[in-house]
């Protein structure tokens, strides 16, 4: 039951407190480990495509497995001191693995800049939560970027870590975050990371495969709960969920595009280079600032539904295993 209590406690803390800037975060430590290991691994292997792939594979194995071992070992030691200490730390780690409030807050800042500030301020705000270039985005482009981030990060920042934490507790959730952090830092298809980041990108695709599809279905349900179009979400998800180079990214974005009746995706600039991505959804109307708030309502509804579903499955598993 410790895992169940930790997940519930972590979810409540995330909703109440988000991600306080003063609090040390495991993802920051993961990022520093990647920055430390990358040049040393590159130096240890031949500077060839095969050598870079091998160096990247070592990183892709070492960081998640090291994270899993360290976090599980530390919890084991705390349980030997007192079970309450281990539970308290696991609650904190589950809290830090989730990003419901942080995602809603950051995207909400974009909305407030669009409605009460300037377009330049909105571009800056959305630039905090997206990887694309934002300096030349139109108002509609800013809205679409923010909505896409809410949709995609519902999977990466809520559904996936929640699924892993209810399967294996905070250590498995942090192991997932290590994979996700690697992909965000080295999983680019550019000259620097084309080979070195390949293993991290493939691993991220694998660990997100099932959670992304669960997240999309939860967003279809959330569309109905929040007054959007579940029929549109289902139709566009069925049609457009594979329209992306990644096997996972279009899953949630297509569902949200269909629910809102707008078009997401399309060409985007990264590091000054335009990538021609396909559009998702039908342009039934232009995207508007209010779509950010609508996407956030879907985010909250889908997050609660995800927690209820996964906790229910955990309880059923414990009951069938005789642990209740």
């Amino acid at each position: 039951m410790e895992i169940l209590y930790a997940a519930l406690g972590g979810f409540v803390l995330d909703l109440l407190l988000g991600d306080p800037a003063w609090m040390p975060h495991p993802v920051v430590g993961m990022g520093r480990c990647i920055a430390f290991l990358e040049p040393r691994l590159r130096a240890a292997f031949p500077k060839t495509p095969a050598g870079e792939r091998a160096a990247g594979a070592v990183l892709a194995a070492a960081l998640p497995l090291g994270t899993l071992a360290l976090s599980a070992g530390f919890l084991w030691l705390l349980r030997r001191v007192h079970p309450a200490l281990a539970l308290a730390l696991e609650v904190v780690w589950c809290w830090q693995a989730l990003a419901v409030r942080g995602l809603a807050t950051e995207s909400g800042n974009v909305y407030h800049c669009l409605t009460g500030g300037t377009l330049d301020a909105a571009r800056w705000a959305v630039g905090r939560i997206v990887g694309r270039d934002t300096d030349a985005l139109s108002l509609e482009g800013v809205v679409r970027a923010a909505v896409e981030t809410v949709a995609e990060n519902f999977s990466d920042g809520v559904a996936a870590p929640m699924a892993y934490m209810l399967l294996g507790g905070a250590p498995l959730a942090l192991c997932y975050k290590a994979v996700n952090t690697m992909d965000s830092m080295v999983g680019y298809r550019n000259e620097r990371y084309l080979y070195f980041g390949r293993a991290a990108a493939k691993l991220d695709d694998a660990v997100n495969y099932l959670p992304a599809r669960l997240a999309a279905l939860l967003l279809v349900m959330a569309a109905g709960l929040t007054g959007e179009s579940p029929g549109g979400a289902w139709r566009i998800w069925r049609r457009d969920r594979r329209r992306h180079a990644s096997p996972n990214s279009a899953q949630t974005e297509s569902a949200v595009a269909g629910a809102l009746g707008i078009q997401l995706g399309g060409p985007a600039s990264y590091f000054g280079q335009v990538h021609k991505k396909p559009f998702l959804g039908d342009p039934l109307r232009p995207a508007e600032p209010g779509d950010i708030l609508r996407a956030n309502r879907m985010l909250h509804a889908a997050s609660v539904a995800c927690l209820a579903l996964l906790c229910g499955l955990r309880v059923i598993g414990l009951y069938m295993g005789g642990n209740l």
Side-chain angles (χ1 to χ4, degrees), residues 56-227:
V58 172
L59 175 65
L63 186 68
L65 291 176
T67 299
L68 182 65
L70 283 173
S71 55
F74 202 68
L75 287 176
W76 179 81
L77 288 173
L78 282 184
R79 286 190 194 99
R80 293 177 66 87
V81 178
H82 197 287
L85 292 175
L87 177 59
L89 180 60
E90 192 158 16
V91 167
V92 170
W93 279 344
C94 287
W95 163 24
Q96 293 179 314
L98 298 171
V100 181
R101 177 158 181 167
L103 185 57
T105 298
E106 292 292 342
S107 58
N109 288 339
V110 179
Y111 169 80
H112 292 305
C113 288
L114 287 171
T115 56
T118 65
L119 181 56
D120 282 340
R123 288 167 174 160
W124 178 86
V126 80
R128 288 170 49 87
I129 55 174
V130 300
R132 73 190 65 181
D133 302 329
T134 62
D135 291 347
L137 289 179
S138 64
L139 184 148
E140 187 176 357
V142 169
V143 171
R144 284 163 49 185
V147 171
E148 287 171 23
T149 297
V150 171
E152 184 174 1
N153 283 280
F154 169 62
S155 177
D156 294 351
V158 183
M162 194 181 293
Y164 285 110
M165 77 175 59
L166 282 159
L167 183 64
L172 195 58
L174 292 179
C175 179
Y176 166 79
K177 296 300 288 185
V179 174
N180 198 235
T181 302
M182 281 193 304
D183 182 62
S184 68
M185 290 183 66
V186 305
Y188 295 101
R189 294 183 178 181
N190 56 24
E191 184 178 354
R192 179 176 178 179
Y193 291 119
L194 180 62
Y195 301 110
F196 183 83
R198 185 168 298 180
K202 293 294 185 183
L203 182 59
D204 187 74
D205 287 343
V207 299
N208 279 299
Y209 190 85
L210 291 178
R213 285 145 184 81
L214 169 64
L217 294 175
L218 288 167
L219 286 169
V220 171
M221 181 179 68
L225 296 173
T226 57

